[in-house]
Amino acid sequence: MTDITERLAAIRGLEPVSPNQQKKLDITHLKKGGYLELEGETWMVKKVYYYLDVKWSDFSKRKKDYWVCELEIFSLNTGKTSYLEWEKDDDIEIYLTTDLVKLRDIKFNGRAIKHEDLVEIAEEEEGDLTVMNTEYAYSDDDTWAALFMKDKNEVHGIPMRTYEFESDSGLSLSIETWHEDEDERPDREAFLSQPVGKKKISILQPQAAS
């Protein structure tokens, strides 16, 4: 599907609920096919993913389930795809992916980061990384492990760990390691994200129109 065709299809699916209904909605109501406004753009939710918080050491489940939700969103304005991640504890915390980062661009002690370096940083609970001349400090409190699922009813998820680092400006660097095959050298992905205030998001339509 070409970009313009996909954008037109997304535009045709937009059927905003009334302003009064919109006031009662927040990001927790969004499902696949829903629409939102953020940073002057209109976005459609293409997919919804779930992360179940588990123990770091062996990916075993905790006594109480705690979920993090990720929305893959598509801009009707530009055709760009991005990601919104949210979790709800005492309040709703939301992060917007701003850039994907190549692993070779992440420097530790002057060289490209290795998986062994991440393990060492987590064990020492400290360490600084550099991306494009910006320094990111390790955040042990935000580093976590999860089971990735496309549906909350899945029996088994894909084990993964997320190593979190933060800059002085509040921008976060996340490095994910995926342990589906119990490989000593797991697949890795990295991205930058920024916090988003819940009031900056307007829910136009919670799910696909019936």
Side-chain angles (χ1 to χ4, degrees), residues 125-137:
E125 299 184 2
E126 63 178 357
D128 296 330
L129 302 182
T130 303
V131 179
M132 301 296 289
N133 298 319
T134 299
E135 191 169 276
Y136 295 83

Side-chain angles (χ1 to χ4, degrees), residues 13-180:
L14 176 57
E15 297 182 14
V17 297
S18 69
N20 285 337
Q21 286 179 292
Q22 290 180 23
K23 292 177 183 178
K24 300 175 183 178
L25 300 173
D26 59 38
I27 194 170
T28 65
H29 294 96
L30 280 173
K31 298 180 181 179
K32 181 179 178 180
Y35 291 80
L36 65 143
E37 281 188 348
L38 171 64
E39 296 190 337
E41 294 186 51
T42 300
W43 303 79
M44 181 190 74
V45 179
K46 293 181 66 175
K47 297 179 182 178
V48 181
Y49 304 112
Y50 303 93
Y51 296 81
L52 176 63
D53 181 51
V54 295
K55 295 179 181 178
W56 180 267
S57 60
D58 59 3
F59 301 109
S60 59
K61 294 183 179 181
R62 301 185 186 277
K63 292 182 179 179
K64 184 178 179 181
D65 288 351
Y66 183 82
W67 294 91
V68 175
C69 185
E70 182 181 62
L71 308 176
E72 181 179 330
I73 56 177
F74 174 79
S75 172
L76 276 62
N77 302 75
T78 65
K80 174 184 176 181
T81 294
S82 191
Y83 297 86
L84 274 175
E85 185 177 282
W86 67 266
E87 58 186 281
K88 186 174 183 180
D89 195 356
D90 295 329
D91 200 0
I92 301 173
E93 295 183 10
I94 306 170
Y95 288 86
L96 172 67
T97 297
T98 58
D99 290 289
L100 300 180
V101 180
K102 295 179 180 179
L103 292 170
R104 65 173 179 267
D105 292 334
I106 304 174
K107 306 300 182 182
F108 177 63
N109 292 335
R111 55 171 172 75
I113 187 77
K114 298 180 180 179
H115 179 249
E116 295 78 17
D117 299 325
L118 290 172
V119 174
E120 178 184 337
I121 290 171
E123 289 177 348
E124 297 293 331
E125 299 184 2
E126 63 178 357
D128 296 330
L129 302 182
T130 303
V131 179
M132 301 296 289
N133 298 319
T134 299
E135 191 169 276
Y136 295 83
Y138 179 68
S139 176
D140 186 61
D141 290 341
D142 295 319
T143 291
W144 62 302
L147 296 177
F148 168 82
M149 305 178 188
K150 294 182 179 180
D151 189 300
K152 279 188 176 182
N153 296 320
E154 286 185 25
V155 178
H156 304 289
I158 300 175
M160 55 86 68
R161 293 188 176 101
T162 303
Y163 300 80
E164 296 284 3
F165 301 79
E166 188 171 329
S167 71
D168 290 338
S169 66
L171 196 63
S172 296
L173 167 65
S174 303
I175 303 177
E176 298 176 341
T177 59
W178 295 81
H179 303 262
E180 185 173 11

